[in-house]
Amino acid sequence: MSSTNKGAGGKAWAIVIFFTLFMVTMTFNLIVYPACAADTMRQYGISQAGLTTLSSVTSVVGLFAGFIFGPILDKRGSRKTILFGLLVGAVLFFVRVLVTSYALAIVLTFLASFFVGVCQVAASKVLATWFTPQTVSVAYSFQAAGAGFGSAGAFIIGAALGLKGSLLLIAIAYTVLFIYWLIAGKDGTIAVQGAQPPKGSSAMVWKSRTLWLMAIAASCAVGSTLLINSYCINAFVGKGMNPGQAALIGTVLNLSLLVGGYLGTFLMSVIKRYNIVTLICFIGGAVGYLMSWFSPLGAATWCWLVIGGLLMGGTVGLTMGRTALIPLTGQFPVEAIGSAGGALEAIKGAITFVFPIVIANIFATNYNAIFITFGVLCVIGFVTGGLLVPELGPKGKLQQEQAQNSH
């Protein structure tokens, strides 16, 4: 950690842990309905189509939360905004546990997820106040990797607790996060105290070429990962694998993604160039998954799948972790990072909500086409997040120039 935030080390990493726990809980909430599929359909009296709709509600939350909370965070700060969002969200999550109506479950899932979604929008802005440009990418990637715990935990805990117990656990977890933020949550010392974003900064954010490219790359990272996660078990059963082994593949895949999130963080801390690590993770991940699918079933299937998961696990943190560094390009001021985080979430939310619906309608159970689509998304993610954007890492020209100017 640089001298700029020396002495804030313990407090800074307490903030990272808060956002990591949020990512765990958020992802658990995102996957809880499909993880408890039979229980969900029985409780709400719905079919597979209803389950898909209910499962998609949380994905679209980022679209609205990004638009609304981004500018509020820039103007009002993170402390009170996050407290308000977590308090309202936790109450709504507790109410959701009690309802048996499908319509009410949809409404409460959306509203509760919307209010706690302020934390996802705020992550890049808050971490940028605790970490310097040289260290913020590692901090962001670390907390983003928490999604792997939530993804893997949803299937394990969901099977143990059932739907009702899992929904109650989510409500309790958000209550704990509210208490955590009440005790420890605030902006760091790197923040410009009392600074307000200049007039027109929100428009500058939406005009930022780099922001749009990074939002597309982040959408490819999230969308491609969810695509394989959603289809892998049925795909390998269709290829001839027995259902028990196919279910185990889903577990191995999620554990690989979990470890991969921290592997991406490690690679970034060593190489210190986003664009190079983006190439390694997107293209390496694509090769691993495609080889696991198109190779004959056997030991190689598992080896390639693990390699793919380890590398794909880093893509989300790599793409979204640069939001706080985009002001280095001069495309919008640093005071507008909250709006930038909101814009990225809004773009990603729209794309990742529409994408699975389109894929399901076009390809149905054509698993070859689904894996090829995954590969195409990885290429697009690398091009937009690794070729067409300036290098924002510690060894890139922009950070080095900033460091020289600060001296």
Side-chain angles (χ1 to χ4, degrees), residues 126-137:
V126 176
L127 291 175
T129 71
W130 284 100
F131 293 86
T132 65
Q134 292 77 28
T135 57
V136 69
S137 60

Side-chain angles (χ1 to χ4, degrees), residues 19 73 82 118-128 136 140 143:
F19 284 109
L73 284 161
I82 290 177
V118 65
C119 296
Q120 190 170 4
V121 177
S124 57
K125 180 179 180 65
V126 176
L127 291 175
V136 69
Y140 191 93
Q143 65 88 31

Side-chain angles (χ1 to χ4, degrees), residues 132-134 325 327-328 396-407:
T132 65
Q134 292 77 28
L325 299 175
L328 291 170
K397 180 181 178 182
L398 291 173
Q399 277 209 41
Q400 291 179 345
E401 286 180 348
Q402 185 192 58
Q404 289 174 355
N405 292 335
S406 65
H407 290 113

Side-chain angles (χ1 to χ4, degrees), residues 285-310:
V287 170
Y289 279 175
L290 290 174
M291 288 297 292
S292 75
W293 173 250
F294 287 106
S295 296
L297 289 177
T301 301
W302 297 85
C303 291
W304 282 116
L305 188 80
V306 169
I307 291 171
L310 287 174

Side-chain angles (χ1 to χ4, degrees), residues 211 277 293 362:
L211 177 77
V277 183
W293 173 250
I362 294 177

Side-chain angles (χ1 to χ4, degrees), residues 65 243 254 280:
N254 279 289
I280 294 170

